[in-house]
Amino acid sequence: MRRHRMAAVPTLLVLDAEPLPRLGRLTGRVRVLHADGSTLGALLPRADVLLVWDTSSDAVRAAWPGTGPRPRWVHTAGADVDRVLSPELAASDTVLTNARGVFAEPVAEYVAALVLAMAKDLPGTWTAQTRREWRPRESRRVAGTRAVVVGSGPVGRAITRTLKALGVTTALVGRVPRTGIHGPDDLDRLLARADWVVAAAPLTELTRGLFDTRRFGVMQPSARFLNVGRGGLVVEEALVRALRSRWIAGAALDVFGAEPLPPESPLWQVPGLLVSPHMSGAAVGRHDELGAQFVEQFERWAAGRPLRNVVDKARGYVPGR
């Protein structure tokens, strides 16, 4: 592939989404072009750097195999890269980075909120209120329960810390076993004892469909399943069956195989399932934080310093502890 030479003023191409990133510190230091899904392919050959600000778009996967040179560095303002990482990009020498770290604490707080809401049956309380029903009942203690968190990156580790602060005994499962982290071979054993199962792993060929009929069958009837990772981690038909057959007590999905979730999807009305619109990491102020993270990365790139959060394109995530 023909490569760019470093221009005196490099060109930054932004795959836009609202609100646009704040790049004030880069004024005069970079030429900025803006694209949407329909114009990205034509503009890619002109870019030294691509900022994927619209992380819900598949435009990069579609446009990357086209003709002409490609940016030397791609940064996505999201934690996951499966919507960006085409086979051609993976095989190229383009560096790919992500927004690792920005979403960890907000997602952990969201998981804690889901655990507490489900344990205390807050959805049932709200339903009773809308019906003007006075319905006292017992709720479940959270302290002393057991959780399994699948995914040992920053998000999974933040979830583990937060649940432990609530008194939940928590096991963390990663790709390989190491100190404080279980490996995949321990997963079934841990699932069989867990009250809470939290999916927070990246979507790779090894994790796609990880939670299927067999895995839901391993869980105890009182368990609740939460997915804040990627929709592809779950075989949705298997989850629907598990809930309707009462193999597990309940579930919460924040991510889905198809997003936005179509109105005709059966998931909207499955008993015991809480649906949220991919918002676990959508904390107030995140756009400013994401923009500042990219500006700091750009300054490192322009100075020839090593970039942070470099994705291992063969694995599909940023290696690390």
Side-chain angles (χ1 to χ4, degrees):
M1 178 186 295
R2 185 166 59 88
R3 308 303 300 166
H4 289 282
R5 291 184 178 180
M6 181 65 174
V9 178
T11 297
L12 167 64
L13 177 59
V14 182
L15 180 59
D16 285 341
E18 293 292 339
L20 294 176
R22 295 183 179 181
L23 305 174
R25 276 167 44 192
L26 301 183
T27 301
R29 301 164 58 188
V30 62
R31 180 185 301 106
V32 180
L33 302 176
H34 294 273
D36 58 20
S38 65
T39 60
L40 180 68
L43 292 173
L44 273 177
R46 299 168 56 185
D48 298 294
V49 179
L50 171 63
L51 169 57
V52 183
W53 194 247
D54 184 358
T55 58
S56 67
S57 172
D58 294 316
V60 177
R61 285 185 65 92
W64 197 270
T67 59
R70 290 294 180 260
R72 291 170 293 156
W73 167 38
V74 174
H75 178 82
T76 178
D80 296 290
V81 299
D82 51 283
R83 304 193 81 152
V84 174
L85 190 55
S86 66
E88 294 81 6
L89 174 53
S92 74
D93 58 356
T94 294
V95 176
L96 176 62
T97 59
N98 72 356
R100 175 182 168 106
V102 172
F103 303 100
E105 296 301 331
V107 173
E109 293 172 359
Y110 198 85
V111 168
L114 289 173
V115 167
L116 289 168
M118 296 170 85
K120 304 306 179 184
D121 191 26
L122 295 188
T125 298
W126 175 251
T127 298
Q129 179 181 341
T130 60
R131 296 173 180 173
R132 302 191 181 194
E133 294 176 356
W134 184 264
R135 190 158 57 90
R137 63 208 183 280
E138 293 181 340
S139 63
R140 189 175 186 181
R141 289 288 306 273
V142 170
T145 59
R146 296 175 180 269
V148 175
V149 178
V150 181
S152 59
V155 171
R157 297 199 302 271
I159 292 170
T160 299
R161 290 193 301 270
T162 302
L163 292 181
K164 285 183 176 179
L166 295 175
V168 180
T169 300
T170 307
L172 184 60
V173 178
R175 188 179 65 88
V176 295
R178 49 204 187 274
T179 303
I181 300 176
H182 296 269
D185 291 345
D186 293 333
L187 180 57
D188 286 355
R189 175 179 60 82
L190 294 168
L191 291 178
R193 304 176 60 195
D195 301 292
W196 313 98
V197 178
V198 184
L203 183 61
T204 69
E205 290 309 309
L206 294 177
T207 61
R208 187 179 299 276
L210 181 65
F211 293 95
D212 55 11
T213 297
R214 190 184 69 78
R215 286 266 158 66
F216 290 120
V218 168
M219 298 178 196
Q220 56 185 352
S222 60
R224 288 175 168 84
F225 173 77
L226 295 74
N227 187 11
V228 291
R230 297 296 287 172
L233 300 175
V234 179
V235 178
E236 292 174 351
E237 297 81 0
L239 176 59
V240 170
R241 182 184 179 191
L243 289 167
R244 288 179 172 165
S245 302
R246 299 185 179 179
W247 295 355
I248 60 175
L253 297 180
D254 187 55
V255 288
F256 304 87
E259 295 183 6
L261 188 65
E264 64 274 12
S265 171
L267 294 172
W268 290 107
Q269 295 182 310
V270 176
L273 176 60
L274 177 63
V275 170
S276 59
H278 202 153
M279 58 179 286
S280 59
V284 173
R286 76 185 187 283
H287 293 109
D288 289 342
E289 190 172 355
L290 289 167
Q293 182 190 56
F294 173 74
V295 169
E296 192 274 338
Q297 284 273 62
F298 188 92
E299 290 175 338
R300 296 178 69 89
W301 177 81
R305 297 162 58 200
L307 293 170
R308 296 191 173 106
N309 296 349
V310 176
V311 174
D312 182 326
K313 293 184 291 184
R315 296 181 182 180
Y317 56 88
V318 178
R321 178 179 165 273

PDB file of all heavy atoms in Angstrom, residues 263-285:
ATOM      1  N   PRO A 263     -37.946  -2.279  16.710  1.00  0.00           N
ATOM      2  CA  PRO A 263     -39.200  -2.342  17.480  1.00  0.00           C
ATOM      3  C   PRO A 263     -39.833  -3.724  17.468  1.00  0.00           C
ATOM      4  O   PRO A 263     -40.514  -4.098  18.427  1.00  0.00           O
ATOM      5  CB  PRO A 263     -40.092  -1.318  16.772  1.00  0.00           C
ATOM      6  CG  PRO A 263     -39.155  -0.386  16.084  1.00  0.00           C
ATOM      7  CD  PRO A 263     -37.970  -1.217  15.697  1.00  0.00           C
ATOM      8  N   GLU A 264     -39.602  -4.493  16.413  1.00  0.00           N
ATOM      9  CA  GLU A 264     -40.213  -5.821  16.327  1.00  0.00           C
ATOM     10  C   GLU A 264     -39.412  -6.899  17.060  1.00  0.00           C
ATOM     11  O   GLU A 264     -39.829  -8.069  17.109  1.00  0.00           O
ATOM     12  CB  GLU A 264     -40.367  -6.240  14.863  1.00  0.00           C
ATOM     13  CG  GLU A 264     -39.072  -6.422  14.091  1.00  0.00           C
ATOM     14  CD  GLU A 264     -38.527  -5.131  13.484  1.00  0.00           C
ATOM     15  OE1 GLU A 264     -39.023  -4.039  13.853  1.00  0.00           O
ATOM     16  OE2 GLU A 264     -37.606  -5.221  12.642  1.00  0.00           O
ATOM     17  N   SER A 265     -38.279  -6.548  17.657  1.00  0.00           N
ATOM     18  CA  SER A 265     -37.476  -7.541  18.366  1.00  0.00           C
ATOM     19  C   SER A 265     -38.252  -8.118  19.552  1.00  0.00           C
ATOM     20  O   SER A 265     -38.871  -7.379  20.326  1.00  0.00           O
ATOM     21  CB  SER A 265     -36.175  -6.923  18.887  1.00  0.00           C
ATOM     22  OG  SER A 265     -35.501  -7.825  19.749  1.00  0.00           O
ATOM     23  N   PRO A 266     -38.207  -9.434  19.737  1.00  0.00           N
ATOM     24  CA  PRO A 266     -38.889 -10.042  20.880  1.00  0.00           C
ATOM     25  C   PRO A 266     -38.260  -9.670  22.215  1.00  0.00           C
ATOM     26  O   PRO A 266     -38.891  -9.847  23.273  1.00  0.00           O
ATOM     27  CB  PRO A 266     -38.761 -11.543  20.617  1.00  0.00           C
ATOM     28  CG  PRO A 266     -37.562 -11.681  19.737  1.00  0.00           C
ATOM     29  CD  PRO A 266     -37.560 -10.448  18.879  1.00  0.00           C
ATOM     30  N   LEU A 267     -37.039  -9.145  22.187  1.00  0.00           N
ATOM     31  CA  LEU A 267     -36.355  -8.814  23.433  1.00  0.00           C
ATOM     32  C   LEU A 267     -37.086  -7.748  24.238  1.00  0.00           C
ATOM     33  O   LEU A 267     -36.963  -7.698  25.468  1.00  0.00           O
ATOM     34  CB  LEU A 267     -34.926  -8.348  23.147  1.00  0.00           C
ATOM     35  CG  LEU A 267     -33.974  -9.408  22.569  1.00  0.00           C
ATOM     36  CD1 LEU A 267     -32.660  -8.774  22.157  1.00  0.00           C
ATOM     37  CD2 LEU A 267     -33.736 -10.515  23.582  1.00  0.00           C
ATOM     38  N   TRP A 268     -37.844  -6.893  23.578  1.00  0.00           N
ATOM     39  CA  TRP A 268     -38.553  -5.817  24.279  1.00  0.00           C
ATOM     40  C   TRP A 268     -39.538  -6.341  25.323  1.00  0.00           C
ATOM     41  O   TRP A 268     -39.808  -5.659  26.312  1.00  0.00           O
ATOM     42  CB  TRP A 268     -39.309  -4.934  23.290  1.00  0.00           C
ATOM     43  CG  TRP A 268     -38.461  -4.076  22.415  1.00  0.00           C
ATOM     44  CD1 TRP A 268     -38.208  -4.251  21.084  1.00  0.00           C
ATOM     45  CD2 TRP A 268     -37.744  -2.888  22.787  1.00  0.00           C
ATOM     46  NE1 TRP A 268     -37.382  -3.260  20.607  1.00  0.00           N
ATOM     47  CE2 TRP A 268     -37.089  -2.407  21.629  1.00  0.00           C
ATOM     48  CE3 TRP A 268     -37.600  -2.192  23.990  1.00  0.00           C
ATOM     49  CZ2 TRP A 268     -36.301  -1.252  21.636  1.00  0.00           C
ATOM     50  CZ3 TRP A 268     -36.807  -1.047  23.996  1.00  0.00           C
ATOM     51  CH2 TRP A 268     -36.174  -0.589  22.840  1.00  0.00           C
ATOM     52  N   GLN A 269     -40.063  -7.536  25.105  1.00  0.00           N
ATOM     53  CA  GLN A 269     -41.151  -8.011  25.950  1.00  0.00           C
ATOM     54  C   GLN A 269     -40.870  -9.359  26.613  1.00  0.00           C
ATOM     55  O   GLN A 269     -41.792 -10.048  27.029  1.00  0.00           O
ATOM     56  CB  GLN A 269     -42.442  -8.113  25.132  1.00  0.00           C
ATOM     57  CG  GLN A 269     -42.936  -6.753  24.638  1.00  0.00           C
ATOM     58  CD  GLN A 269     -44.238  -6.843  23.881  1.00  0.00           C
ATOM     59  OE1 GLN A 269     -44.382  -7.659  22.976  1.00  0.00           O
ATOM     60  NE2 GLN A 269     -45.192  -6.007  24.260  1.00  0.00           N
ATOM     61  N   VAL A 270     -39.607  -9.696  26.767  1.00  0.00           N
ATOM     62  CA  VAL A 270     -39.270 -10.951  27.447  1.00  0.00           C
ATOM     63  C   VAL A 270     -39.412 -10.752  28.958  1.00  0.00           C
ATOM     64  O   VAL A 270     -38.842  -9.808  29.513  1.00  0.00           O
ATOM     65  CB  VAL A 270     -37.827 -11.382  27.106  1.00  0.00           C
ATOM     66  CG1 VAL A 270     -37.446 -12.635  27.890  1.00  0.00           C
ATOM     67  CG2 VAL A 270     -37.694 -11.624  25.616  1.00  0.00           C
ATOM     68  N   PRO A 271     -40.148 -11.601  29.641  1.00  0.00           N
ATOM     69  CA  PRO A 271     -40.290 -11.466  31.096  1.00  0.00           C
ATOM     70  C   PRO A 271     -38.934 -11.527  31.800  1.00  0.00           C
ATOM     71  O   PRO A 271     -38.106 -12.379  31.496  1.00  0.00           O
ATOM     72  CB  PRO A 271     -41.153 -12.672  31.479  1.00  0.00           C
ATOM     73  CG  PRO A 271     -41.861 -13.060  30.225  1.00  0.00           C
ATOM     74  CD  PRO A 271     -40.919 -12.736  29.105  1.00  0.00           C
ATOM     75  N   GLY A 272     -38.709 -10.595  32.708  1.00  0.00           N
ATOM     76  CA  GLY A 272     -37.482 -10.592  33.489  1.00  0.00           C
ATOM     77  C   GLY A 272     -36.292  -9.971  32.809  1.00  0.00           C
ATOM     78  O   GLY A 272     -35.174 -10.016  33.344  1.00  0.00           O
ATOM     79  N   LEU A 273     -36.473  -9.357  31.630  1.00  0.00           N
ATOM     80  CA  LEU A 273     -35.364  -8.746  30.902  1.00  0.00           C
ATOM     81  C   LEU A 273     -35.492  -7.232  30.902  1.00  0.00           C
ATOM     82  O   LEU A 273     -36.516  -6.679  30.489  1.00  0.00           O
ATOM     83  CB  LEU A 273     -35.316  -9.256  29.460  1.00  0.00           C
ATOM     84  CG  LEU A 273     -34.240  -8.621  28.553  1.00  0.00           C
ATOM     85  CD1 LEU A 273     -32.851  -8.865  29.105  1.00  0.00           C
ATOM     86  CD2 LEU A 273     -34.359  -9.145  27.126  1.00  0.00           C
ATOM     87  N   LEU A 274     -34.432  -6.555  31.360  1.00  0.00           N
ATOM     88  CA  LEU A 274     -34.356  -5.100  31.328  1.00  0.00           C
ATOM     89  C   LEU A 274     -33.520  -4.680  30.124  1.00  0.00           C
ATOM     90  O   LEU A 274     -32.368  -5.102  29.983  1.00  0.00           O
ATOM     91  CB  LEU A 274     -33.726  -4.571  32.617  1.00  0.00           C
ATOM     92  CG  LEU A 274     -33.514  -3.062  32.728  1.00  0.00           C
ATOM     93  CD1 LEU A 274     -34.846  -2.330  32.684  1.00  0.00           C
ATOM     94  CD2 LEU A 274     -32.762  -2.707  34.005  1.00  0.00           C
ATOM     95  N   VAL A 275     -34.100  -3.881  29.238  1.00  0.00           N
ATOM     96  CA  VAL A 275     -33.436  -3.419  28.014  1.00  0.00           C
ATOM     97  C   VAL A 275     -33.049  -1.954  28.169  1.00  0.00           C
ATOM     98  O   VAL A 275     -33.892  -1.122  28.520  1.00  0.00           O
ATOM     99  CB  VAL A 275     -34.379  -3.594  26.799  1.00  0.00           C
ATOM    100  CG1 VAL A 275     -33.807  -2.887  25.572  1.00  0.00           C
ATOM    101  CG2 VAL A 275     -34.603  -5.079  26.506  1.00  0.00           C
ATOM    102  N   SER A 276     -31.778  -1.629  27.912  1.00  0.00           N
ATOM    103  CA  SER A 276     -31.348  -0.231  27.895  1.00  0.00           C
ATOM    104  C   SER A 276     -30.578   0.032  26.603  1.00  0.00           C
ATOM    105  O   SER A 276     -29.941  -0.870  26.059  1.00  0.00           O
ATOM    106  CB  SER A 276     -30.503   0.117  29.122  1.00  0.00           C
ATOM    107  OG  SER A 276     -29.344  -0.690  29.208  1.00  0.00           O
ATOM    108  N   PRO A 277     -30.621   1.266  26.088  1.00  0.00           N
ATOM    109  CA  PRO A 277     -30.126   1.564  24.734  1.00  0.00           C
ATOM    110  C   PRO A 277     -28.636   1.895  24.659  1.00  0.00           C
ATOM    111  O   PRO A 277     -28.245   2.995  24.284  1.00  0.00           O
ATOM    112  CB  PRO A 277     -30.991   2.763  24.324  1.00  0.00           C
ATOM    113  CG  PRO A 277     -31.228   3.479  25.617  1.00  0.00           C
ATOM    114  CD  PRO A 277     -31.350   2.419  26.665  1.00  0.00           C
ATOM    115  N   HIS A 278     -27.777   0.934  25.012  1.00  0.00           N
ATOM    116  CA  HIS A 278     -26.327   1.096  24.919  1.00  0.00           C
ATOM    117  C   HIS A 278     -25.878   2.412  25.564  1.00  0.00           C
ATOM    118  O   HIS A 278     -25.222   3.249  24.940  1.00  0.00           O
ATOM    119  CB  HIS A 278     -25.864   1.039  23.457  1.00  0.00           C
ATOM    120  CG  HIS A 278     -24.415   0.675  23.331  1.00  0.00           C
ATOM    121  ND1 HIS A 278     -23.901   0.041  22.229  1.00  0.00           N
ATOM    122  CD2 HIS A 278     -23.361   0.841  24.166  1.00  0.00           C
ATOM    123  CE1 HIS A 278     -22.595  -0.147  22.372  1.00  0.00           C
ATOM    124  NE2 HIS A 278     -22.248   0.339  23.555  1.00  0.00           N
ATOM    125  N   MET A 279     -26.216   2.555  26.838  1.00  0.00           N
ATOM    126  CA  MET A 279     -25.971   3.821  27.531  1.00  0.00           C
ATOM    127  C   MET A 279     -25.139   3.670  28.798  1.00  0.00           C
ATOM    128  O   MET A 279     -24.939   4.641  29.527  1.00  0.00           O
ATOM    129  CB  MET A 279     -27.307   4.481  27.887  1.00  0.00           C
ATOM    130  CG  MET A 279     -28.216   3.638  28.760  1.00  0.00           C
ATOM    131  SD  MET A 279     -29.776   4.456  29.188  1.00  0.00           S
ATOM    132  CE  MET A 279     -29.210   5.660  30.392  1.00  0.00           C
ATOM    133  N   SER A 280     -24.607   2.483  29.061  1.00  0.00           N
ATOM    134  CA  SER A 280     -23.898   2.281  30.325  1.00  0.00           C
ATOM    135  C   SER A 280     -22.663   3.165  30.451  1.00  0.00           C
ATOM    136  O   SER A 280     -22.289   3.565  31.552  1.00  0.00           O
ATOM    137  CB  SER A 280     -23.508   0.807  30.490  1.00  0.00           C
ATOM    138  OG  SER A 280     -22.675   0.370  29.438  1.00  0.00           O
ATOM    139  N   GLY A 281     -22.018   3.494  29.327  1.00  0.00           N
ATOM    140  CA  GLY A 281     -20.841   4.354  29.380  1.00  0.00           C
ATOM    141  C   GLY A 281     -21.118   5.799  29.023  1.00  0.00           C
ATOM    142  O   GLY A 281     -20.196   6.619  28.963  1.00  0.00           O
ATOM    143  N   ALA A 282     -22.389   6.129  28.822  1.00  0.00           N
ATOM    144  CA  ALA A 282     -22.749   7.471  28.333  1.00  0.00           C
ATOM    145  C   ALA A 282     -22.920   8.447  29.487  1.00  0.00           C
ATOM    146  O   ALA A 282     -24.011   8.947  29.752  1.00  0.00           O
ATOM    147  CB  ALA A 282     -24.038   7.395  27.510  1.00  0.00           C
ATOM    148  N   ALA A 283     -21.821   8.728  30.165  1.00  0.00           N
ATOM    149  CA  ALA A 283     -21.855   9.658  31.291  1.00  0.00           C
ATOM    150  C   ALA A 283     -21.741  11.102  30.803  1.00  0.00           C
ATOM    151  O   ALA A 283     -21.100  11.383  29.785  1.00  0.00           O
ATOM    152  CB  ALA A 283     -20.722   9.351  32.259  1.00  0.00           C
ATOM    153  N   VAL A 284     -22.365  12.012  31.537  1.00  0.00           N
ATOM    154  CA  VAL A 284     -22.263  13.441  31.232  1.00  0.00           C
ATOM    155  C   VAL A 284     -20.791  13.852  31.240  1.00  0.00           C
ATOM    156  O   VAL A 284     -20.036  13.500  32.151  1.00  0.00           O
ATOM    157  CB  VAL A 284     -23.062  14.261  32.257  1.00  0.00           C
ATOM    158  CG1 VAL A 284     -22.829  15.757  32.043  1.00  0.00           C
ATOM    159  CG2 VAL A 284     -24.549  13.933  32.165  1.00  0.00           C
ATOM    160  N   GLY A 285     -20.370  14.574  30.213  1.00  0.00           N
ATOM    161  CA  GLY A 285     -18.993  15.039  30.114  1.00  0.00           C
ATOM    162  C   GLY A 285     -18.061  14.128  29.341  1.00  0.00           C
ATOM    163  O   GLY A 285     -16.891  14.447  29.131  1.00  0.00           O
TER     164      GLY A 285
END
